[in-house]
Amino acid sequence: LDPAVTVLLAEATPAGGAPAIVGYAQLRHASPAPADLAWEADAPPVGPDDVELARLYVARARHGTGLADALF
């Protein structure tokens, strides 16, 4: 497990069914990149509280329900 990565899970339980994961967001806590890896000369510096949204997934049946907004 990487302590710099956080995974948020969205779970739903259908009536009379078992809980199921219906979406997730993977966050990477930023670490300052060396100057030679900067992708843009005028990019703001990366701070200790910055987070990158690495992945966002929502099950097709949940599209349009606001779940992606909630995970974001």
Side-chain angles (χ1 to χ4, degrees):
L1 295 175
D2 185 345
V5 174
T6 298
V7 177
L8 305 175
L9 298 176
E11 184 179 84
T13 304
I21 295 172
V22 294
Y24 73 91
Q26 183 185 55
L27 309 174
R28 290 189 188 148
H29 303 275
S31 58
D36 60 338
L37 295 180
W39 63 91
E40 191 174 325
D42 60 348
V46 175
D49 295 328
D50 291 340
V51 176
E52 171 192 5
L53 175 60
R55 289 182 173 80
L56 181 66
Y57 170 80
V58 174
R60 186 176 305 273
R62 298 292 175 158
H63 288 189
T65 65
L67 179 56
D69 289 343
L71 286 168
F72 191 72

